[in-house]
Every structure is written in C-alpha cells, then in structure tokens.
Amino acid sequence: MRQALTIAARDLRANFLTAFGLGSTAGFAAAAGVVLVVVLRGNQARLAGWFGTLYVLLGVLAALLTMRSFAEEERLGTLELLLTSPVRPWQVVTGKLLGVAGVLLVDVAATLACPLLVASMGHPDAGPILTGYVGVILVGLAFVAVGLAVSAATSNPLVAAVGSLAVLLALWGAGIVSGGLTGWPRLALEELAPSGHVVGFLRGTLSTKDVVYFVSLLALGLVTNVVVLEERR
Amino acid sequence: MRGLAAMMVAIGVVVAANVAAYGHDTQVDVSVAHRFTLSPETRALVRAVHAPLRIRAFLASHGGAADDARFLLSRYTELNSRIRFSVVDPDAHPGEARRFGITRYASVVLTYRGRRVDAPDAEELEISTAILRLLRGHVRSVCVLTGHGEPALDDTAPDGLSAVADLLRHNAYEPRDLDLSTSSIVPKDCAAVIVAGPTDPLLPAEVQALDAYTKADGRLMVLATPTSRADPNPLIASWGVRFTGGLVIDPARSENLDTANVIVERFPSASPVDAGVSRLQLPAGGGLFVAVPPDRPGLSVARLALASGRSFVETRPDTEIDFDGLDIPGPVLVAAAADDSRVAAGETGVPGRSGARIERTRVVVAGDVAFVTNRFLDHLSNARFLLNGINWLTEEEQLLATTSRPSADRPLPFTPERQTRVLAVTVGAVPGAIVGIGLVPALVRRLRRRRR
Amino acid sequence: MNGAHHGVELEGVTRRFGRSTAVADVSFDVRQGEVLGLLGPNGAGKTTTMRMITGYLRPTSGTVRVNGADTAADPVGARRSIGYMPELPAAPPEMTVRSYLRFCARLRGVPRARLRPAVAGALGQAGLHDVGDQRIGTLSRGFRQRVALAQALVHDPPVLVLDEPTSGLDPRQVVETRELVTKLGRSRTVLLSSHLLSEVSQLCRRVVVLDHGKVLAVGDVASLSGGGTLEEAYLRLVRD
C-alpha cells in the first residue's frame, strides 16, 4: 500500500503543478457554476438537474485526467521507470486510481460553492444534495477506473481521452438503444447504462443496485487495467 | 491468455453481483419529502395487481417533471412487472393525447381490464389511489339534478358540463341525470347527488326528496348561482351552511379587472377537498356563511375556500358595484364542506342485531357553478377541487391513508442580481482562487532562487 | 541454478513482437562486481534485452535471473536489485529534481529515515547539487541525463543497467559519466549498452556483441580483439 500511496501522492501533487491540472480544476468549477445558473432559471431550489449534468461533466473530466495517468507517462517515457520499479501491477493501478481520485476530490470540493449558494438563497432539501455528492464520488471513481484502463492500453494521450469518452458514451448509449427494445434485452441494456443508475442520487435515494453497479464498473476497470499492464510486458 | 481468463472471471462475478443486487434491491431515502419512496400501503396495493396495468403520464418533456415521473413510475414497475408505464409529451404526441382526451399537462391515465381512472398528478398518492380504484372495479353513479335550467352534462358549449361528465368517467364514476319531477325518491345507487346551478325554483316535493335523501346517509353537492330564482338554502340549511345571497366581489384578486371574476388563493382547511388545490377561479360566485347549531355535536363544517381580505358580497349586484353599508364585508367564504355523523335511533341494518347505528351525511357547497363549466373547468385547480369534492363525498379519498408530506415546492426566485452573484462566485472567485493557490509553489521557488 | 550468483544471468532468452523476433536465444551472464558491455549496432536488440532484464518486457521464452531472483517467478524481487537508466532520459518535467528523486527512493522501498541521505547521495554522485530545486523541465539535456542516472542510483541497487549512458552528452559530460561508471563498477554489477566501441573498450573488461537479436560473441575485450583493435574484431563479427 505504501507504494500505491507514493504513486498517488506524486500524481496528485504533479497534477496541481501543471497548468493543465489547475486549468481543469478551475474549468470544472466554472462549468458547474454555469450549469447552476441554467438550472436555477427554473426558480426552484432543486439541484437534480445540476447533479445530472455534473455526472456527464465527470465523464469528460475523468477522460481528461486519466489520459495523463498512463498514456502521457508512456509518451514521456516515465512509465518505463514506474513499471521497472519493484512495484506490483495492482499497486501501480491502485496508486494511479487514488491519485486521480484525489484530484477529483479537489475538483468536486470546488463545486461545493454551488449548493452553498443555493442554500443561501433558498431552502433546498439537504437529502438529495447529500446523495447527489455520494453519486458524484461513485460515478467519478467508476469513470476514472474506465479511463485508466483505456489510458493503459495506448501511448497517445489524445487517443486515451477520446477512447475513454467513447467507452463511456457507448455505455450511456445502451440506455438510449434500450428504448426500442422490449423484455429482458431492454432491461439488461437499461441496467448497463449509467444514466439509469444516477436518477436515484438526484432524488435523495440510495439503492443497493446502483451502488453495486458503480462499484462493479470500478472493479472491472481496475481488473482490466491490471490485465492490460501485464499483457503489454 | 491468463489475462483473458481473469477478465472472463471478473465479468462473470460482476454480472452475477448486479443480477443479485437487482433482485434484492433495498433503497434508503434521505430526502425530507420522501416523494420517491413508495409507502407500505402502495407496496401492498401494487402486489394485488394481477392483470396488465398501463400507466400513461402526459407531461412536458422539458423540465424535471417527466424525469421525476419516470423515476417514480419505475418504482411501481419494479414491484410488479404487470405494471407498465410511459411518459408522453402531449406536444410531441398530440394524437395520443387526443385519444385519451388530455387537454392539460400532469394528467396520468391508468387503464386496467378495460377500465380507466385518471390521476390528477404524477405523485404517489394520486397514482396509488387511482390503482386502488381500478382494482375495486365497480363504477359508481353520480346523479346530477335536471329540470330547472341547470347546465347539461351532454352540453359541449362553453356553458355546458360535458367536461365534468368526462372528468367523472375518467375517474370511475358514471354521471347520469336525476329527474325528480317523475319520481319523488332519489335512487339508492346514487353514490352522490349534484345540484349544479338551477336557475328555476325546485318544487317543494323535490326539495323534500333531496332532504330525505341527504338526511339518510346522503352525499350532496350544491353548486349555486347567485343570479337565480332558485333558493338552495332549504337543501343545505340543516348542515350549518347558508348562502348570503348577492355576488362576491374582490377588487384585489380578480381576473382582467372584472372584479366579480374572483381568484381564490386561501384554502384554510385541512380537508382532503383542498388537497393539491392552489388556486381557484370563481366567475360570478355567491358567498356563504357557516352557522353550526350548538345542539349538533356530530356536525362539523370545514371552510374550504376564502376570497381575499378585500373581498365583499355585493348584495345588490344589479346596482353600482361598490362596497356600501348594505354589503357584507370579507374575507368571503366561497366553499364549505359539512360532515355530520350521528347515532341514529333506528334499528341496525344488520338483521338480528338491534341497537344504534352510525349515520353519516356529507355536503359540499360552493357559491358558484360557472367554475366547473366547460369554459372554466380546466382553469387553475378548478377540476381538481371538483373531483376532490366528489371523492370526499363518496369517501373514495379514504382509500389510501393520506400521510401528509412536506411540499416538493421549494421556490427560489432567481433574480438577475442573484444570477450575477452566482456567476461571480462560481465562475469568478472559485476558479480564480484555484489558479491563485496553484501558483504559490512556483512563486515560492522563484523567491527561494532569488534569495540564493 | 546457482543461488549464490549475485549478478545477472540470461538463459536462452527470446523475445518476439508479433512475427518479428527482436532477441533470439540469448544467453550470457554479468558477474558480480564487473562492468559488462552490450555492444551492437542500432536495432541489434540491446534495448529489448535490457528491458527484459529490468522487467519492462517479458521474455517470450527463456529465463532471466537478477541477483538470484527469476524475473518470471519473482518479478518484484528481481526489480528491487536493479537501478535502470533507460535510453531516453525520461523524468516528469513539472517536478523538481529533489522531489523526483525522493519519489523514486520511496517507490523502491528506501525507508523513510534514509530518504534524505539517499537523495543527497544520488544528487552528489550525479553532480546535481546545484539544480536540486529546479524543475526537471527547465534543465538541459545533459542535466536530465544525470537525473536519469541519479534515479538509478538513489536506492543503492547492487545491479545497474545503463542503456546508452553517454549518448547526447557533450565531451566533458561524457568523460565525467565514464569516470562515474568506472567508480560505480568497483562496488556494483554494471551492464551498459553502447554502440561506441571506444567507450566499451575503455569501461568494460568483458563485452557481449549483439546483432540482429543474436549473440555474436562473448568474451574479454582483450581476447576478442585478438591482438588487433576492437574495431577490427567488431567489424569482422558484424559483417559475417
């Protein structure tokens, strides 16, 4: 675990030492603010629409952050040193995940200004805000795990980012395609898409199947990541 | 190859975990309103659905209402796969909307075994009530008095009541005409009787027949018009409510400077008749007052709707409309509901058992009939109010335990100043602070180097 | 297997990328405390061979042992003994030299208490004292090469694998680096690759000549040159 934390700490610090890292954090916070303005035009102290859009933005953010984790390191050549250090693949993967998760936590913390502003102007229900942020963490980690797996499979950061977005869009698209089906294929595709699993977070409810879904996506991403790292040796 | 095997195992485990979680889902609700968690009553009810039940919610696709409805209705389909739902935007699918006679947003149509019941809103209470009424199956008659110049149930003109007939049919009631000039007894299968705006006086025999009906566990709704020769007071006087006569005028809350076209916004009672009613439009209504005799402990009268504090009753509407010494000062009561439970002296209805039995009379009175005519029924909450009244009379409102929930409405007027403030903080201050803090290490390094 | 062997051993090591074979049936060993030169033209398989020793690549067949640990059975144990300087001096540009070396030391298991002296030692050995607090991205190519060397030394490994350690350096830096390698070779096992004959003959007692992924010759510099210069011997080998 010490090695994983070492990698995570380095990635976290390095992110905020680069203009890219600072820019993505500031940009994410600003985007959340713009979305808030649009949502509040409904004149209701409800953040369901805001969180819904935030989850989509998390997909973009995860793709951008994870492209640096493996693809950018391989392009620079530093991945070779990381993988030839006495560290197990799962430690590398855990470290990379925690590093991006730390960045994500800072980025998400910067959006806390939005619910605070809403609370200062109206009387929002605290429950959906709480579950909304639980959702942010779950969705964020799951999307990061997907992004990391894609990032490990390529040495081009741009390909990594576009690839991660493509995978996430494909998952999201499963929910749209399901609309034209019936019976269990419809159900399976509906459950495959993240869109169907975030709706509860927006409304103050937490259900086990949604939590299991995102934890599964996270676990599958990490396993794929380890396998990709091992297969490329 | 080992990697491939690991992937296969991982996918298998994940799929199994998700299937298991789907089958044994538990949900925690931390919201204040619990709008999206079905009550135990609903869960029990939904399990009793044994044939395909189709729910069509007609909602605008923009805004959050459609998403909320989808989420809520999914909770029903999760519990019972015989229930299926669709959320239809009446603007995008006008044909579908017309097929079900939908003229407004937020209508939910439920069909089951060839029957139809509408829910006035896509909220759990409304939908579950509708399901319960579908499951009960039978259709109850609502009898509407005719013969005195009342607007007719089959009249599709703006002054007719065809929309009321549709509303009743969509809610498992069969409206039918009641003619007391030929038979002097109200039929036993009338679940409720409506006296809707007679303009000619009722015959004494008719008044007697209605009074006898009401006193014997009857359910009566009286919608009067202030400009008629019929005096409705003999029908309702025994139940603690009387018409003042004259026309309600509200200089403060009325439509288009027509001070007699009153908008009512105060619903002080906790009566189920007021549930979900936010505003009523009463064009040309009369006022009421409540006078409960002290010797009637079982009788209670709920003040359903009050016009604003500046309203008054113009007792001579044919003269200049202004408040003078002959007029009655407001706030004017425009609708009331009386409930009278008493121990009857007679025998129990059960053979072989003697002793007292409980009788219950319910009466809903409104000073206006125009508010339910075709022209106004869809205005504001008028239809909801009428249907609530019928449901209360027939005790359909008690089908489901009504736990009162905090309102989901959380107004936040988003003024331009507030928008500027939000943008200043979220797009200005926060990103600025992030970049500022981020530049600190570089500055520290530069200073350190210069010192050296 | 010789458990007491503390150098590097390769037995019948082959690596294929798809259909092409980069390294074919290579066997040699680097004995403890010696500086061995891996000599060959560009594309001969030197980097692939080194990557298989450091564990960045897995051999398609054959075994590699580092300090007695099999890289297939105990990859982490094998890597723990190695300090590796890749051909391209890669280091994260946004980090300072000191914090990067600290990171490398922690990653390779240097105890917390020994971090500071380990980093200071590596900075000193690589001649980086003056630029310790500078961002790596602002350094010249020569200094970055030294950073790559410093990170290979920071955890005090018994085995050093140096891929073209002097390429891209100016003559003075080349001399300094060669002196450093000679010094390191006194206490460590060193495998270095080069396409420069003069460098190999100057630094190494033994050489492995590699071409088209195959070992052409293994032996002392002296015996290989056979009285003549190493150049002549090398050209003779590669031409055949």
Side-chain angles (χ1 to χ4, degrees):
Chain A
M1 206 57 203
R2 181 186 146 171
Q3 273 88 350
L5 289 177
T6 302
I7 294 169
R10 190 212 80 87
D11 280 9
L12 180 59
R13 283 186 54 199
N15 179 75
F16 290 108
L17 288 174
T18 60
F20 174 87
L22 284 177
S24 64
T25 301
F28 186 68
V34 171
V35 173
L36 183 68
V37 166
V38 174
V39 167
L40 287 185
R41 294 226 169 111
N43 293 317
Q44 283 279 318
R46 264 192 95 191
L47 284 168
W50 183 72
F51 276 112
T53 314
L54 204 62
Y55 295 150
V56 177
L57 290 180
L58 275 177
V60 178
L61 186 68
L64 287 179
L65 291 178
T66 54
M67 77 178 185
R68 301 173 58 84
S69 298
F70 289 104
E72 171 88 354
E73 282 225 32
E74 179 163 12
R75 194 178 65 82
L76 285 174
T78 47
L79 188 65
E80 185 168 357
L81 284 171
L82 189 59
L83 295 182
T84 55
S85 289
V87 183
R88 287 173 208 287
W90 69 263
Q91 291 171 324
V92 173
V93 170
T94 312
K96 289 291 179 189
L97 174 80
L98 292 178
V100 181
V103 176
L104 208 66
L105 214 59
V106 175
D107 291 5
V108 166
T111 67
L112 283 174
C114 294
L116 288 177
L117 275 169
V118 172
S120 75
M121 297 184 293
H123 301 279
D125 185 352
I129 295 179
L130 184 75
T131 54
Y133 271 109
V134 170
V136 166
I137 302 295
L138 284 170
V139 171
L141 285 179
F143 285 3
V144 164
V146 170
L148 285 177
V150 175
S151 183
T154 169
S155 59
N156 183 330
L158 192 67
V159 171
V162 172
S164 306
L165 277 180
V167 172
L168 293 177
L169 274 179
L171 281 176
W172 220 281
I176 297 163
V177 172
S178 73
L181 300 171
T182 51
W184 70 264
R186 180 196 180 115
L187 186 68
L189 281 183
E190 266 175 7
E191 296 299 314
L192 184 64
S195 43
H197 291 279
V198 297
V199 285
F201 300 140
L202 309 178
R203 292 174 175 80
T205 64
L206 283 181
S207 69
T208 41
K209 80 177 168 72
D210 297 339
V211 175
V212 167
Y213 171 81
F214 286 109
V215 171
S216 299
L217 206 55
L218 170 67
L220 208 55
L222 295 184
V223 170
T224 310
N225 200 339
V226 170
V227 168
V228 166
L229 283 188
E230 279 300 279
E231 288 303 306
R232 47 176 293 158
R233 282 189 197 270
Chain B
M1 277 305 100
R2 248 180 57 197
L4 199 66
M7 286 298 305
M8 289 315 220
V9 171
I11 289 171
V13 168
V14 156
V15 168
N18 278 275
V19 168
Y22 185 84
H24 302 84
D25 192 32
T26 49
Q27 193 175 304
V28 192
D29 193 333
V30 296
S31 66
V32 173
H34 278 70
R35 264 178 80 199
F36 300 102
T37 299
L38 299 182
S39 63
E41 290 94 336
T42 292
R43 290 171 166 270
L45 177 70
V46 163
R47 263 178 232 118
V49 172
H50 294 302
L53 192 158
R54 190 87 162 81
I55 305 176
R56 290 178 177 84
F58 291 90
L59 293 162
S61 56
H62 58 83
D67 289 337
D68 284 351
R70 248 179 232 114
F71 186 71
L72 178 68
L73 292 172
S74 303
R75 305 280 83 77
Y76 284 88
T77 54
E78 273 170 14
L79 288 174
N80 190 330
S81 59
R82 289 189 189 87
I83 300 178
R84 285 179 56 203
F85 76 87
S86 54
V87 176
V88 184
D89 185 341
D91 295 333
H93 300 91
E96 179 97 340
R98 202 163 300 146
R99 187 155 76 86
F100 288 94
I102 298 302
T103 53
R104 49 191 290 153
Y105 289 127
S107 300
V108 184
V109 177
L110 295 91
T111 47
Y112 180 69
R113 294 195 203 264
R115 291 189 297 272
R116 164 178 172 175
V117 171
D118 290 6
D121 216 343
E123 296 289 335
E124 185 202 350
L125 185 61
E126 328 292 359
I127 290 166
S128 294
T129 304
I131 291 176
L132 190 61
R133 300 181 55 201
L134 281 172
L135 291 182
R136 264 200 354 194
H138 62 263
V139 172
R140 306 174 78 186
S141 289
V142 171
C143 303
V144 181
L145 187 70
T146 60
H148 317 89
E150 295 95 343
L153 283 174
D154 55 0
D155 186 355
T156 55
D159 289 335
L161 292 183
S162 64
V164 170
D166 288 340
L167 181 71
L168 291 173
R169 281 192 199 100
H170 295 165
N171 286 279
Y173 293 109
E174 183 53 43
R176 67 174 210 238
D177 290 339
L178 173 65
D179 185 356
L180 287 176
S181 63
T182 50
S183 135
S184 60
I185 293 174
V186 176
K188 275 208 170 343
D189 64 336
C190 286
V193 171
I194 302 180
V195 178
T199 53
D200 300 326
L202 275 65
L203 299 172
E206 290 177 310
V207 173
Q208 217 166 31
L210 285 171
D211 196 44
Y213 161 80
T214 314
K215 281 184 170 146
D217 280 346
R219 306 303 160 98
L220 181 69
M221 176 178 279
V222 178
L223 309 172
T225 61
T227 54
S228 91
R229 279 165 286 139
D231 178 13
N233 276 330
L235 296 176
I236 58 173
S238 321
W239 313 108
V241 189
R242 291 185 68 88
F243 284 97
T244 58
L247 189 65
V248 181
I249 301 295
D250 192 341
R253 305 294 313 163
S254 49
E255 180 127 316
N256 299 334
L257 299 175
D258 174 5
T259 50
N261 193 349
V262 176
I263 306 291
V264 177
E265 292 180 326
R266 288 169 67 186
F267 304 94
S269 82
S271 164
V273 184
D274 279 343
V277 175
S278 55
R279 295 208 293 168
L280 288 180
Q281 182 174 12
L282 298 179
L288 308 172
F289 65 90
V290 173
V292 179
D295 60 335
R296 297 277 296 279
L299 174 63
S300 64
V301 179
R303 289 169 170 80
L304 293 179
L306 278 175
S308 82
R310 286 182 61 194
S311 63
F312 61 92
V313 178
E314 174 60 62
T315 49
R316 296 165 302 159
D318 44 350
T319 64
E320 186 73 20
I321 301 277
D322 58 352
F323 185 65
D324 54 45
L326 292 169
D327 296 336
I328 301 163
V332 181
L333 182 68
V334 294
D339 182 295
D340 185 29
S341 308
R342 60 209 172 264
V343 181
E347 290 290 298
T348 58
V350 185
R353 268 187 66 182
S354 62
R357 67 186 172 91
I358 301 290
E359 284 192 331
R360 165 170 271 180
T361 294
R362 282 184 166 180
V363 177
V364 171
V365 184
D368 187 34
V369 73
F371 87 107
V372 297
T373 55
N374 293 345
R375 190 172 152 201
F376 291 106
L377 188 66
D378 275 345
H379 285 212
L380 307 182
S381 308
N382 289 8
R384 180 78 187 264
F385 186 77
L386 175 72
L387 192 62
N388 282 350
I390 305 278
N391 286 342
W392 181 73
L393 288 176
T394 58
E395 294 185 40
E396 293 269 347
E397 99 286 355
Q398 290 178 344
L399 291 177
L400 209 69
T402 58
T403 44
S404 75
R405 289 178 173 178
S407 168
D409 185 47
R410 291 170 179 276
L412 189 159
F414 198 48
T415 57
E417 296 77 52
R418 287 179 156 174
Q419 176 167 332
T420 310
R421 200 165 105 208
V422 168
L423 283 175
V425 172
T426 57
V427 181
V430 172
I434 291 164
V435 172
I437 295 168
L439 290 179
V440 167
L443 289 176
V444 167
R445 248 197 324 274
R446 190 159 299 169
L447 282 177
R448 221 186 263 170
R449 217 176 301 154
R450 197 167 295 166
R451 209 174 297 158
R452 210 177 282 162
Chain C
M1 187 190 117
N2 180 2
H5 196 292
H6 290 295
V8 179
E9 295 167 278
L10 287 84
E11 278 178 32
V13 172
T14 299
R15 172 72 196 206
R16 281 189 276 273
F17 293 104
R19 280 183 162 183
S20 69
T21 304
V23 172
D25 196 24
V26 166
S27 303
F28 64 87
D29 59 354
V30 192
R31 292 169 204 147
Q32 190 184 359
E34 80 168 344
V35 179
L36 182 87
L38 204 53
L39 192 62
N42 292 324
K46 301 191 295 286
T47 296
T48 302
T49 305
M50 290 188 144
R51 283 179 164 177
M52 283 190 284
I53 295 168
T54 59
Y56 187 60
L57 292 175
R58 221 184 346 231
T60 310
S61 63
T63 55
V64 178
R65 275 188 290 273
V66 179
N67 228 355
D70 188 326
T71 55
D74 180 15
V76 171
R79 281 181 237 152
R80 194 168 286 135
S81 313
I82 298 177
Y84 175 38
M85 176 179 167
E87 188 176 4
L88 291 171
E94 70 277 357
M95 294 180 88
T96 64
V97 174
R98 196 182 302 277
S99 61
Y100 176 57
L101 292 180
R102 210 177 152 79
F103 162 68
C104 290
R106 285 178 65 91
L107 197 62
R108 291 171 202 158
V110 175
R112 187 178 289 272
R114 295 241 324 103
L115 278 178
R116 191 175 281 273
V119 170
L123 282 172
Q125 278 180 302
L128 287 165
H129 261 318
D130 293 341
V131 297
D133 292 316
Q134 276 193 42
R135 280 189 187 216
I136 295 168
T138 65
L139 297 178
S140 68
R141 156 120 207 188
F143 270 113
R144 268 185 266 177
Q145 190 96 352
R146 293 197 202 183
V147 172
L149 190 58
Q151 64 79 26
L153 299 171
V154 73
H155 54 301
D156 194 21
V159 177
L160 280 176
V161 177
L162 312 175
D163 198 352
E164 304 269 3
T166 59
S167 74
L169 297 183
D170 66 41
R172 191 171 62 89
Q173 290 166 333
V174 169
V175 171
E176 283 170 8
T177 305
R178 284 181 186 164
E179 281 170 3
L180 180 61
V181 170
T182 309
K183 203 174 91 192
L184 292 169
R186 285 181 204 133
S187 54
R188 288 179 174 81
T189 308
V190 179
L191 173 66
L192 72 86
S193 75
S194 181
H195 60 279
L196 298 175
L197 294 165
S198 56
E199 182 165 289
V200 170
S201 61
Q202 193 180 332
L203 292 175
C204 312
R205 202 170 53 78
R206 286 203 315 145
V207 289
V208 174
V209 181
L210 216 56
D211 192 29
H212 292 104
K214 294 195 182 71
V215 175
L216 297 184
V218 184
D220 289 352
V221 173
S223 65
L224 272 181
S225 19
T229 62
L230 187 60
E231 272 89 350
E232 288 164 5
Y234 175 73
L235 288 174
R236 199 167 58 237
L237 282 166
V238 172
R239 235 178 247 143
D240 290 343

